[in-house]
Amino acid sequence: MATTLGLTSGIHHVLPQKPTFDVTSSSNISDAMGDNDMLTSDGDNSTLESLTYAFSIPFSFIPGPDPDQIVLATAQARERWLHPPDSPPNLPTSRLPVHQRSINDVQELCKRLSPGLVARTTVSVTELTAENALRKKPTTSVGLWIAGEPAEVHKTRGFILQSVPVAMRRSCVNIDHDQYYISEGVPNPRITVHLERIAQFTGTDIFVLKPPEPTSIVAVDQGSEASQNRRLKISIFGDYESVEHAKTRVLIMIDDLLGQKIVPMLIELSLQSIICGRARKNVKLIESATRTAIYFPPPFPQVYGYSPPGGTRRDPDQVFIAGSSREDIAKAERMLLNLAVNMRIFVKDVSVTLTKIDYILLQRLDDVKKIMDANGTFVQFPLLGSPASLIRVQGTETLHLERTIKAIMVICGQYYNASWWVMDSPIARLLPKPLEVQKLLIDVAAFTGVSIAFNKQVFEFSGSDENVKAAMHMLSDVPFVKENPYQIRVKIELANEHKEFVSGKKNGKINKIMSQSNIQIIFDTFNEYNFFIDVCGGKFDTTMLGLKLVEQELPAAVSFHVPDSYHKRIIGIGGQHIQRIMKKYSVFVKFSNAMERGTSGRSESDGSKVDNVICRTPARNAANLELVKSEIMGMVQRADADIVQEHVDIPRLLHRTLMANRKVLDDLEHKWGCTIIFPSTEMASDIVTIKGPQWQVPHAVHEVLALVPETHIIRLKSSPELEELLQQDEFKKNIADRMDTQFGIRPQPSIDYASESPGGRRSGSGDDYVEITFTYTRDNAGALRDAIEMLTNFLLSHGIQTDSIKGTLPRPKSDSFEDFVPFFHSAVLQKPPQSRVGSSNGSVRRLSGDGASIFGDQASHPEPAQFTDTTEAAFYDGDRKASLSDAGLVRPPGSSGSISSTRTSFSLGRKGSTVWEGGLEATGLPDGEEWTKLESDRSRSNSVTT
């Protein structure tokens, strides 16, 4: 251990805020060698050129669109995002032309850089299989090796990262079918031309994709929008900033098609997220009061440094406002400016290690944006790969500013830094050749995703916790490393408030770990918020054991919300209740009141019911956290129990209408104790989140859906009898009024639609159709299928056979035992001998209940139902649960109308045990003696089975 003490005394455990070179760990290479000796070295420049560094360029290989779903593609989009037609099947996503071009650009860039810079570069492309535990699917890793002076290595790394699109994205915007098409199959030329201009202006590729084929009615039963199945998707591909820019332009295009007026205004970037407020509450109130949509730019402009060829960046201070009138837009502008003028800003800079800033930008930027939205703050990051090591945080309240910093520090703690010193000894194995070191570094970086450097027999790693440990395992098998004495140090970053929690009383936990694993643990101060835990050891196995034991002592926590009115009851007199729970589960529990949360004087809903109870315990005891939570929540009334959230799918364009009814939404929130959260306008998301007590959220969801209007259209083949029937009072009384009362759905036929509209005929045929529109609210969407069946029963009961052209809803697949009906042989379930039974010419679907229960005695028939071959297949595939005889679909013998078919069909009686099946001829239903014979056969079968 003397060696470890000597090294630590040379470092002094103080890390500079801006190290000269800090690509691989929190302590730079110069610090690792002791007091900047590496940079001075008595004028010996040979040591400066010995730094070799390798990392894997984090390309995001996103897949392209499905070729069969493409309706429109902008120029060169297919060539970039689809595999060539002659390519073999099942190629990995990384083999797409757009990704291969990025890899080739890196190789060409390194060839151009090497002669002009002191640093030397090498690119290695490695195909990785799914067998690697760190990767779930095959992919391609692009490893980059750089050698030279530390400053030149750092400069080269940053330049390469900023010259390639490392952050590729795909984003979608839904557009209504009727907006995109001006007639059947003919797209709106304004849209196609404008999409092409957007793609060229922003440097992106845009596809218009077909709506997904509905496979089941389950979604409709759960309350999703039926007409959403007809919406097309505008998919945008490109780098992060370009995609966000193009997405905003597409949304503005849709607003323009709807007759909205769009006005830009300028607001400083650093004030935008602060103006939006916590959970974007301020901007949502402005949009609600002015009936406008406000599009803010992305909060991290040019943070990656990359710009696509020919692409134009959006002004980071430019905000677009869309509204129905100039007055509404002007009102929204005034409200935004008033917020900006009257705002008091607090600013704070925080030191973060260089590599962790890069990892946050590449992997966790979405998490940082959520932190900003939750606290109403702004975070400014340096450019990717730059030498700056400070981030700046701005906010209107110090409390939320501190919360933002601490949340970012927690993210930093998920990345490790490690050093591996290979020491000199009389019997030391000779150093490997430079090419061997180069291959070793590239392989470690490619397979684990870490950044690794080698200088003066010191390896340094930086990456996520699991990746760093995997890299150290790979290095432990290298002969040069394991055959020489070495020293390992792993640095874990943790919040200062957890220092005593990890060390224990009088450092008892740490001393126990050091004695068990024969390692040394040092606490190293870093900044105002975090410190480092250095785990040092002379053997790999013991160091990994000690690291594992330290990780088990790290805090694991769960937080949740309990109304303040219950706190005293849960804590008990003198803390008796909570002390008993804490001792029982070895978990520390802390309650925070409104003053500590900074919400004193506000209603509880203002804080969106933020978590005010935190339970903390060592990671080895993390399983008890849920037990503590359940026991605490058991003391809370059911109505105020667990706070949950549910997502509701509501079309984006309806959000403005709902938000304009702010008073109604406020009443719903107050009634059920829930919070209704709409997505930001620039996200173009349909998902509305409802957050509140577990037992109240379903009621709130139901009432919110009752505010969402919906329509569903079906088209039926036109006939004089059908048109006459739909105009009679009988249809209005027995169907329209009854459907409205029973299901909350109103049918509205459009009989003259086919003759008045040029699109009233199906393409390629001369058959007219009648269009029936069902209007309802989303909470009644589950009854839509039954409403369509009620209409179908009504038409069949009047002798009208009609085929549905569009708008039918498929039945969900049953999970009952009926899947196995064909495999059982019994008098009840078997398929009996064939017989000649007619079938209706139309496609008839199962109905809910008897015809008599819906239409009265006029539609009640004792005869068995008859179905087509499609329905028969559905029955034996398990698609039916009810008795087939309950449908009541067949007219009695002798009724008017010729029914013929050559398809296979079957029928089953109400009490039936016999099924007749056979091929049909164009002779219609059996009558007279044949029908009597069939009835007698059925009666004998019934008597046998009973």
Side-chain angles (χ1 to χ4, degrees):
M1 287 310 191
T3 305
T4 305
L5 292 175
L7 290 171
T8 55
S9 62
I11 296 176
H12 298 300
H13 306 292
V14 177
L15 301 176
Q17 292 186 355
K18 292 186 177 181
T20 305
F21 178 74
D22 189 11
V23 175
T24 55
S25 75
S26 57
S27 61
N28 53 39
I29 298 293
S30 59
D31 289 338
M33 303 312 300
D35 291 333
N36 291 329
D37 289 339
M38 175 184 159
L39 294 179
T40 57
S41 188
D42 296 331
D44 186 8
N45 295 329
S46 61
T47 58
L48 298 176
E49 299 178 357
S50 62
L51 174 65
T52 57
Y53 177 75
F55 67 100
S56 177
I57 300 179
F59 285 115
S60 20
F61 296 127
I62 59 175
D66 185 354
D68 298 332
Q69 299 295 320
I70 297 177
V71 176
L72 173 73
T74 56
Q76 300 298 317
R78 290 177 179 269
E79 289 76 6
R80 283 192 283 261
W81 289 96
L82 298 179
H83 291 292
D86 56 348
S87 58
N90 301 324
L91 284 177
T93 303
S94 58
R95 301 293 295 275
L96 284 173
V98 64
H99 301 315
Q100 289 297 309
R101 187 183 65 179
S102 298
I103 296 175
N104 295 334
D105 290 345
V106 173
Q107 295 174 335
E108 294 296 327
L109 181 62
C110 291
K111 291 179 181 179
R112 297 197 305 267
L113 288 179
S114 294
L117 294 177
V118 177
R120 303 180 304 278
T121 58
T122 300
V123 179
S124 175
V125 180
T126 307
E127 298 291 339
L128 301 178
T129 63
E131 298 176 357
N132 192 329
L134 298 176
R135 305 182 188 274
K136 297 181 180 180
K137 56 184 179 181
T139 185
T140 300
S141 176
V142 182
L144 185 63
W145 175 85
I146 309 173
E149 297 181 3
E152 292 295 335
V153 169
H154 192 192
K155 179 180 177 181
T156 304
R157 173 183 180 273
F159 182 79
I160 293 175
L161 287 176
Q162 297 165 20
S163 302
V164 293
V166 294
M168 299 292 282
R169 295 286 189 275
R170 173 186 179 179
S171 187
C172 294
V173 177
N174 294 319
I175 184 171
D176 290 341
H177 180 277
D178 297 335
Q179 284 183 331
Y180 185 78
Y181 290 106
I182 57 177
S183 62
E184 191 67 28
V186 180
N188 189 336
R190 290 180 56 193
I191 295 179
T192 57
V193 172
H194 199 72
L195 289 179
E196 190 69 43
R197 291 177 180 174
I198 292 175
Q200 294 178 359
F201 184 71
T202 60
T204 56
D205 295 310
I206 300 178
F207 296 89
V208 179
L209 306 179
K210 298 177 183 178
E213 294 291 336
T215 57
S216 175
I217 195 58
V218 174
V220 175
D221 286 340
Q222 293 176 347
S224 68
E225 182 186 358
S227 65
Q228 284 183 262
N229 295 330
R230 301 181 67 239
R231 295 193 302 175
L232 290 85
K233 288 186 177 295
I234 300 177
S235 292
I236 307 169
F237 294 81
D239 65 282
Y240 164 74
E241 274 191 80
S242 300
V243 166
E244 292 298 324
H245 187 189
K247 184 177 182 180
T248 302
R249 297 283 177 179
V250 171
L251 294 173
I252 292 175
M253 177 195 71
I254 296 176
D255 286 336
D256 183 63
L257 292 173
L258 297 174
Q260 299 284 305
K261 296 177 175 58
I262 294 92
V263 174
M265 68 174 298
L266 296 178
I267 299 177
E268 186 182 347
L269 174 67
S270 61
L271 296 179
Q272 292 174 8
S273 59
I274 301 176
I275 289 175
C276 291
R278 297 181 58 201
R280 301 183 66 89
K281 187 173 183 179
N282 293 344
V283 70
K284 288 303 175 185
L285 290 176
I286 294 176
E287 290 178 332
S288 174
T290 60
R291 293 176 174 266
T292 57
I294 304 176
Y295 299 98
F296 286 92
F300 310 106
Q302 301 178 5
V303 72
Y304 294 110
Y306 172 79
S307 182
T312 304
R313 287 301 186 206
R314 178 179 176 181
D315 187 346
D317 297 334
Q318 190 177 51
V319 177
F320 293 101
I321 304 177
S324 57
S325 66
R326 294 285 182 178
E327 292 76 12
D328 292 340
I329 296 176
K331 183 179 178 181
E333 287 181 325
R334 289 193 301 269
M335 297 177 73
L336 289 173
L337 291 176
N338 288 337
L339 283 175
V341 170
N342 299 322
M343 196 166 288
R344 183 178 57 177
I345 303 297
F346 296 91
V347 182
K348 192 168 188 179
D349 293 337
V350 184
S351 176
V352 181
T353 57
L354 295 181
T355 50
K356 293 188 179 181
I357 289 179
D358 291 345
Y359 280 119
I360 291 176
L361 293 178
L362 293 169
Q363 302 176 5
R364 307 298 295 274
L365 203 59
D366 291 338
D367 294 335
V368 175
K369 190 176 185 304
K370 292 178 181 178
I371 295 171
M372 291 168 51
D373 291 342
N375 295 283
T377 54
F378 172 74
V379 181
Q380 182 178 2
F381 284 95
L383 193 65
L384 177 67
S386 69
S389 61
L390 294 177
I391 63 173
R392 172 164 293 179
V393 184
Q394 294 182 193
T396 56
E397 298 182 18
T398 56
L399 174 65
H400 300 141
L401 186 137
E402 293 292 327
R403 286 179 177 174
T404 302
I405 296 176
K406 290 181 179 179
I408 295 176
M409 292 297 105
V410 170
I411 297 177
C412 293
Q414 299 172 13
Y415 295 95
Y416 284 3
N417 298 287
S419 302
W420 193 308
W421 283 268
V422 180
M423 302 178 183
D424 294 327
S425 68
I427 57 173
R429 182 184 176 93
L430 295 177
L431 285 173
K433 298 179 181 179
L435 290 179
E436 294 177 355
V437 175
Q438 175 182 331
K439 184 178 184 305
L440 171 64
L441 298 184
I442 291 179
D443 288 345
V444 172
F447 282 93
T448 63
V450 302
S451 300
I452 179 172
F454 178 70
N455 185 29
K456 284 189 174 181
Q457 300 182 218
V458 179
F459 294 92
E460 295 217 6
F461 311 87
S462 178
S464 64
D465 49 1
E466 294 298 329
N467 289 351
V468 167
K469 288 186 284 188
M472 296 177 67
H473 275 283
M474 290 185 63
L475 193 63
S476 65
D477 296 330
V478 177
F480 160 69
V481 174
K482 67 181 180 181
E483 294 179 9
N484 287 298
Y486 53 81
Q487 185 82 35
I488 301 175
R489 170 176 294 181
V490 182
K491 303 179 77 68
I492 305 174
E493 191 171 349
L494 194 63
N496 289 331
E497 61 189 49
H498 301 318
K499 183 178 294 185
E500 294 183 2
F501 182 90
V502 175
S503 61
K505 293 183 179 181
K506 298 181 180 180
N507 295 328
K509 294 181 179 179
I510 296 301
N511 292 333
K512 182 178 180 181
I513 293 175
M514 290 193 296
S515 61
Q516 287 180 348
S517 55
N518 193 25
I519 62 170
Q520 187 171 3
I521 299 175
I522 303 172
F523 286 0
D524 187 3
T525 303
F526 176 50
N527 58 23
E528 179 183 351
Y529 298 93
N530 283 11
F531 72 101
F532 285 111
I533 302 177
D534 289 4
V535 179
C536 308
K539 294 184 179 179
F540 175 74
D541 294 336
T542 58
T543 305
M544 289 295 103
L545 174 61
L547 178 62
K548 180 180 179 181
L549 295 176
V550 171
E551 289 177 337
Q552 291 179 353
E553 297 299 331
L554 296 179
V558 62
S559 60
F560 50 94
H561 176 82
V562 173
D564 290 352
S565 57
Y566 293 93
H567 287 192
K568 290 185 178 180
R569 181 191 308 177
I570 296 173
I571 295 174
I573 301 175
Q576 293 180 356
H577 293 170
I578 199 64
Q579 289 290 343
R580 178 183 58 82
I581 295 175
M582 292 168 61
K583 292 180 180 179
K584 178 179 178 181
Y585 296 103
S586 299
V587 174
F588 172 75
V589 181
K590 179 183 178 181
F591 293 82
S592 61
N593 53 33
M595 183 173 296
E596 293 174 347
R597 298 195 305 271
T599 59
S600 179
R602 307 176 189 175
S603 63
E604 194 167 46
S605 59
D606 289 342
S608 299
K609 291 183 170 53
V610 296
D611 295 341
N612 55 8
V613 179
I614 183 169
C615 303
R616 187 178 293 121
T617 189
R620 54 182 166 79
N621 194 39
N624 287 345
L625 289 174
E626 287 300 324
L627 299 177
V628 174
K629 178 181 176 181
S630 60
E631 187 159 342
I632 291 177
M633 296 307 297
M635 305 180 191
V636 180
Q637 291 184 4
R638 184 176 183 180
D640 298 321
D642 291 349
I643 301 299
V644 298
Q645 61 183 20
E646 186 167 339
H647 302 297
V648 183
D649 193 349
I650 299 176
R652 176 182 63 88
L653 295 177
L654 290 177
H655 292 185
R656 302 181 198 176
T657 304
L658 293 177
M659 292 170 59
N661 299 326
R662 191 69 245 179
K663 186 177 184 304
V664 177
L665 296 179
D666 290 341
D667 293 341
L668 286 180
E669 291 180 342
H670 179 73
K671 179 180 179 181
W672 301 110
C674 298
T675 303
I676 302 173
I677 305 172
F678 288 90
S680 61
T681 307
E682 54 271 8
M683 285 180 61
S685 174
D686 295 329
I687 303 301
V688 176
T689 302
I690 300 179
K691 181 179 180 181
Q694 182 178 2
W695 305 102
Q696 306 287 19
V697 166
H699 301 288
V701 170
H702 181 78
E703 295 204 18
V704 169
L705 292 178
L707 303 174
V708 181
E710 186 51 75
T711 60
H712 182 76
I713 300 174
I714 65 171
R715 293 176 179 175
L716 306 173
K717 284 185 178 180
S718 179
S719 65
E721 295 83 2
L722 175 61
E723 296 181 4
E724 181 181 357
L725 179 62
L726 294 179
Q727 292 178 345
Q728 295 177 1
D729 292 338
E730 182 183 1
F731 171 79
K732 181 178 182 302
K733 178 180 178 181
N734 291 342
I735 292 298
D737 294 343
R738 189 169 184 176
M739 190 182 296
D740 191 10
T741 303
Q742 184 171 348
F743 301 127
I745 301 176
R746 189 78 185 177
Q748 181 62 41
S750 301
I751 298 176
D752 297 330
Y753 180 84
S755 59
E756 294 179 359
S757 173
R761 294 178 180 271
R762 288 189 297 177
S763 59
S765 69
D767 297 333
D768 292 338
Y769 60 78
V770 174
E771 187 175 271
I772 300 179
T773 303
F774 295 87
T775 59
Y776 52 94
T777 54
R778 181 72 66 79
D779 57 330
N780 294 324
L784 177 61
R785 182 177 55 199
D786 294 330
I788 296 176
E789 291 178 346
M790 176 185 285
L791 175 64
T792 307
N793 260 351
F794 175 76
L795 298 178
L796 291 175
S797 66
H798 285 74
I800 297 178
Q801 298 295 327
T802 179
D803 287 340
S804 176
I805 299 176
K806 187 184 71 172
T808 56
L809 302 177
R811 281 286 177 179
K813 183 174 176 60
S814 168
D815 57 354
S816 69
F817 69 92
E818 294 167 357
D819 289 340
F820 305 98
V821 166
F823 307 104
F824 288 91
H825 298 283
S826 68
V828 177
L829 298 176
Q830 68 178 350
K831 296 171 106 177
Q834 297 180 353
S835 179
R836 294 157 52 99
V837 178
S839 168
S840 64
N841 190 30
S843 175
V844 183
R845 300 187 180 275
R846 188 192 73 172
L847 303 180
S848 301
D850 296 336
S853 64
I854 301 178
F855 304 106
D857 295 336
Q858 61 178 356
S860 178
H861 303 296
E863 283 74 20
Q866 300 174 357
F867 299 84
T868 64
D869 55 340
T870 304
T871 314
E872 178 182 2
F875 177 85
Y876 285 108
D877 286 341
D879 286 349
R880 299 172 54 81
K881 294 182 180 180
S883 173
L884 300 179
S885 61
D886 291 342
L889 296 181
V890 179
R891 291 170 295 181
S895 61
S896 61
S898 174
I899 303 176
S900 62
S901 174
T902 58
R903 291 176 287 184
T904 307
S905 67
F906 71 94
S907 63
L908 181 66
R910 183 176 303 273
K911 300 179 181 178
S913 57
T914 305
V915 179
W916 295 287
E917 181 180 46
L920 302 181
E921 299 177 359
T923 56
L925 282 172
D927 53 40
E929 295 181 357
E930 292 186 14
W931 187 269
T932 304
K933 183 178 179 182
L934 292 175
E935 288 293 313
S936 61
D937 291 343
R938 185 179 65 169
S939 300
R940 287 196 300 273
S941 177
N942 288 340
S943 63
V944 171
T945 57
T946 54

